[in-house]
Amino acid sequence: MLKLSKKADYALMALQHIASVQPGDVTPGRVVNTKEIAEEYNIPLELLAKVLQTLSKNGMIESHNGPKGGYLLARSARHITIAQILESIEGPLGLTDCSHERSGELCMQREHCNIRTPLLKIQDSIYQLLNNMTLQDMLSGTPLITIQSPSAEGVTR
Amino acid sequence: MLKLSKKADYALMALQHIASVQPGDVTPGRVVNTKEIAEEYNIPLELLAKVLQTLSKNGMIESHNGPKGGYLLARSARHITIAQILESIEGPLGLTDCSHERSGELCMQREHCNIRTPLLKIQDSIYQLLNNMTLQDMLSGTPLITIQSPSAEGVTR
DNA sequence: TTAAGTGCGACCGATACGATCGGAGATCAT
DNA sequence: ATGATCTCCGATCGTATCGGTCGCACTTAA
C-alpha cells in the first residue's frame, strides 16, 4: 500500500547517483551514462533507459548523445524536489481520483462524498512533505522532517 | 501516483458513514447494513460487502447477522486511525519493498542502495500523519494537520 | 567512416485489482 | 418449532496496469 513503483525507485536512485558526481552547483561535472548506473545498482538496462528518457523529457536531466555521452542534472540538486521527480515518472500524485478531475468526468460518489475534504487535506500534507525535500537533502542525509498534529494533543492513544 | 485503491476509498466512506450514525462514544447506536451504504454512495454492493468483511475481520467493525442485522463500530471513532483502516484493507503501508522485508528476500539494489535511508524517513513521516488522524477527525471536519520541514528554512525555493 | 551511446516505439507476461456469483448462518414472524 | 427472509461469508473470474524486453533510428566523438 502506498508503495511507489519500481520505475520511481529507479528514477530516485539514478538521480541520486548523477547528483553525487556533480561536485558543485554550477560545475558541469562529468556525464554519466545509462550502463554505468544500471551496473552499479543492478537495474535492468532497458528499463532504466526508459526512465531516464522520461526524466529528460520532463526537464529533470539533460541528455548528451553520441560516444562519451550521458546524462547530467538539468539544474541544481537543491532545486529538484522529490515531488517533481515522482510526478515526472508517474502522473500527478494524489490520493483520490477526484483530486485532479477534469470537467466531464466525475465520480459516482461525488454527490454524497463524505471523505473528499479530509482526504484532500491529507494529500496536501503529503505533497508539502515531498515538495519540501530536495535531491540535495537526500545527498546530505539530513532530511529531518517533522510532523506536528494538533489533534494528537490531549488524546490518549 | 500514490493513489489509494477503490477498496480503500470505499472502506473510508463506509466507516465514515457508520461512525456518523453512532451518536456517542459509548452509545451503541443503530446498526447499518451493506445495502444502505451501497445505495447512499453508489458503490457496487458485492464489492462493498467484501470490504466490510475484511474490516470486520480486522477488528474495525462488528457484524450482526440476520434480519435487522448490519455493522457498527468496534470501538470509538477517536480510537480508529486512518492508518489502521488502510492497513486493514491493503497490506502494511510503506513506500519501499525493503521497509518490511522478511529474512531471505532482499532486493538486488540493497548492497549499494542510496535511497533507502531517506525514503524510510519520508515513510515514517507519512505514517505518523495517517496514524495521528482518526475517524473522529474526519467527522468533525477539523483535521488541522501541519507539517514543518526545517530544511525548508533559509532556502529559496 | 565507424563505433558507442541515446531516443523511441511496439511488444509480451504477470500480478493484482475490480467485480461477480453461489452458499452458509442467524433472526424474526407465524 | 419451523419456515422464510435477510444478512454475512468464501471462492471465483475477467481485465487493466505495471514491470520488463526487443529492435531500430538518430546523434556524435574518434
Side-chain angles (χ1 to χ4, degrees):
Chain A
M1 179 59 199
L2 280 182
K3 190 165 58 72
L4 39 82
S5 65
K6 287 285 177 67
K7 284 195 281 190
D9 279 339
Y10 297 157
L12 290 175
M13 289 189 207
L15 282 177
Q16 206 271 359
H17 182 81
I18 296 176
S20 70
V21 302
Q22 308 254 40
D25 278 353
V26 196
T27 327
R30 72 175 176 88
V31 295
V32 45
N33 62 6
T34 308
K35 191 178 179 184
E36 174 182 334
I37 303 179
E39 291 179 348
E40 175 75 16
Y41 301 102
N42 288 316
I43 303 176
L45 181 66
E46 315 293 343
L47 183 53
L48 177 61
K50 263 186 87 70
V51 170
L52 291 176
Q53 285 162 26
T54 59
L55 284 178
S56 170
K57 186 181 295 181
N58 285 97
M60 298 291 113
I61 54 181
E62 286 181 1
S63 70
H64 286 268
N65 256 342
K68 204 187 95 37
Y71 296 95
L72 56 86
L73 257 52
R75 55 184 185 279
S76 167
R78 60 170 47 196
H79 292 107
I80 299 181
T81 71
I82 307 298
Q84 289 170 356
I85 299 173
L86 295 182
E87 283 189 332
S88 295
I89 297 301
E90 331 209 347
L93 49 87
L95 293 179
T96 69
D97 289 324
C98 61
S99 59
H100 35 70
E101 63 183 7
R102 296 172 295 280
S103 63
E105 51 159 348
L106 47 90
C107 71
M108 278 305 119
Q109 294 81 23
R110 181 61 186 283
E111 297 278 326
H112 311 88
C113 186
N114 50 2
I115 60 173
R116 178 180 165 83
T117 305
L119 278 187
L120 287 182
K121 294 197 176 184
I122 295 179
Q123 181 174 303
D124 282 348
S125 296
I126 293 181
Y127 187 83
Q128 285 180 36
L129 180 68
L130 295 177
N131 205 35
N132 279 336
M133 185 170 177
T134 68
L135 245 187
Q136 180 63 42
D137 294 329
M138 287 190 62
L139 282 176
S140 52
T142 56
L144 286 184
I145 297 170
T146 61
I147 291 192
Q148 293 184 344
S149 170
S151 65
E153 260 99 20
V155 179
T156 315
R157 262 177 244 282
Chain B
M1 179 56 199
L2 278 182
K3 189 165 61 71
L4 41 82
S5 66
K6 287 284 177 67
K7 284 195 283 188
D9 280 339
Y10 297 158
L12 290 175
M13 289 189 208
L15 283 177
Q16 206 272 359
H17 183 80
I18 295 176
S20 70
V21 302
Q22 307 255 39
D25 279 352
V26 196
T27 328
R30 72 174 176 89
V31 295
V32 46
N33 61 7
T34 309
K35 191 178 179 184
E36 174 183 333
I37 303 178
E39 290 180 349
E40 175 75 16
Y41 302 102
N42 287 316
I43 303 176
L45 180 65
E46 314 294 342
L47 182 54
L48 177 63
K50 246 183 96 66
V51 170
L52 292 177
Q53 285 162 28
T54 60
L55 284 178
S56 170
K57 186 181 296 181
N58 286 98
M60 298 290 113
I61 54 182
E62 286 181 1
S63 70
H64 287 267
N65 255 342
K68 203 187 96 34
Y71 295 96
L72 55 86
L73 257 52
R75 57 183 183 276
S76 166
R78 61 170 45 196
H79 292 108
I80 299 182
T81 70
I82 307 297
Q84 290 170 355
I85 299 173
L86 296 181
E87 284 189 331
S88 294
I89 297 301
E90 333 210 343
L93 48 88
L95 293 179
T96 70
D97 289 323
C98 60
S99 60
H100 34 71
E101 64 183 5
R102 296 173 293 280
S103 63
E105 51 160 348
L106 47 91
C107 70
M108 279 304 119
Q109 293 81 23
R110 180 62 186 282
E111 296 280 325
H112 312 87
C113 185
N114 51 1
I115 61 173
R116 179 179 164 84
T117 305
L119 278 187
L120 287 182
K121 294 197 177 185
I122 295 179
Q123 182 174 304
D124 282 347
S125 297
I126 293 181
Y127 187 83
Q128 284 181 35
L129 180 68
L130 295 177
N131 205 34
N132 279 337
M133 184 169 177
T134 68
L135 244 186
Q136 181 63 41
D137 294 329
M138 287 191 64
L139 280 177
S140 53
T142 56
L144 288 182
I145 297 170
T146 61
I147 292 193
Q148 292 185 346
S149 170
S151 64
E153 260 101 17
V155 179
T156 315
R157 263 178 245 279

